[in-house]
Amino acid sequence: MRHILSALVMNQPGVLAHISGMMASRAFNIDSLAVGPTENELYSRMTFVVGGSAQSLAQVRKQLEKIVTIVKVVDYLDEEHVERDLMLIKVRTESASQRSEVKELVDIFRGSIVDVSAGHVMIEISGQERKIEAFIAAVKPFGIIEMVRTGRIALSRVNAMSAESEVGDPTHSTKDVEQSA
């Protein structure tokens, strides 16, 4: 089973290495990883996708919460959440008719063409993983020259992770965020 874990971490050097080392030492493969700043410059948010049983992931979560630079960890498995991937992809378009066909697909998938050259277009598309995969399959016959994808990012629809709560506090609710504002 795939889990999307999100960790609020202190914005310090070595945090990513520490977390990935801990995951590797427990034989967990990280399928996707995204790290970026949060609304508070003291913290970053790491979102990673890993496979495993709920029981083994609970153990990993406990181990993550023991790392001093981690403020909080959330598994989105049982939470309503919004998740997105971002992809840039170069698709071969050797004729005006191919460019037109690709443009039509881009519009259908609500992406955007961000660069055009004589032989290809570069497309930006974001959405759930299945949307990204469907788009890749749709443009594959034209010829994919190159592509890159970000790691998955996610936020809970209802709850919020706040740096004000204690580590491991299961009540990472929006109340925490409203009280700290």
Side-chain angles (χ1 to χ4, degrees):
M1 179 173 289
R2 290 175 60 160
H3 295 257
I4 301 172
L5 298 176
S6 186
L8 187 63
V9 302
M10 292 180 193
N11 200 2
Q12 297 177 359
V15 175
L16 176 59
H18 196 168
I19 291 172
S20 61
M22 189 280 299
M23 299 285 276
S25 70
R26 284 157 182 78
F28 277 94
N29 185 43
I30 299 173
D31 296 330
S32 168
L33 173 67
V35 183
T38 66
E39 65 284 352
N40 183 333
E41 65 187 33
L42 299 175
Y43 302 100
S44 294
R45 183 182 303 264
M46 295 180 64
T47 306
F48 39 99
V49 178
V50 294
S53 70
Q55 183 179 9
S56 59
L57 256 294
Q59 186 62 34
V60 166
R61 183 176 168 188
K62 287 176 187 174
Q63 293 296 316
L64 285 170
E65 289 173 341
K66 289 180 182 178
I67 297 173
V68 174
T69 52
I70 295 181
V71 176
K72 186 167 301 253
V73 179
V74 174
D75 184 348
Y76 288 122
L77 182 66
D78 295 325
E79 288 196 32
E80 287 211 28
H81 64 280
V82 175
E83 62 185 72
R84 294 289 183 263
D85 284 299
L86 172 67
M87 175 178 66
L88 290 175
I89 184 169
K90 281 187 205 171
V91 178
R92 193 175 318 283
T93 55
E94 296 173 350
S95 67
S97 67
Q98 284 183 330
R99 270 189 296 285
S100 178
E101 288 178 58
V102 169
K103 168 83 171 98
E104 200 171 303
L105 285 170
V106 169
D107 291 343
I108 290 168
F109 281 86
R110 290 182 275 161
S112 56
I113 295 175
V114 295
D115 190 47
V116 178
S117 76
H120 69 270
V121 295
M122 186 184 304
I123 301 151
E124 173 187 314
I125 189 163
S126 68
Q128 292 183 337
E129 183 179 26
R130 64 180 175 258
K131 175 184 173 182
I132 303 289
E133 295 296 332
F135 184 78
I136 292 168
V139 297
K140 200 171 212 165
F142 294 96
I144 296 172
I145 298 169
E146 187 176 16
M147 72 179 213
V148 63
R149 291 171 66 171
T150 63
R152 181 114 16 107
I153 56 173
L155 284 176
S156 174
R157 287 183 179 270
V158 179
N159 297 323
M161 223 183 330
S162 170
E164 305 303 316
S165 300
E166 291 296 314
V167 174
D169 180 357
T171 62
H172 56 282
S173 69
T174 30
K175 290 187 310 196
D176 296 337
V177 173
E178 290 165 2
Q179 289 172 354
S180 67

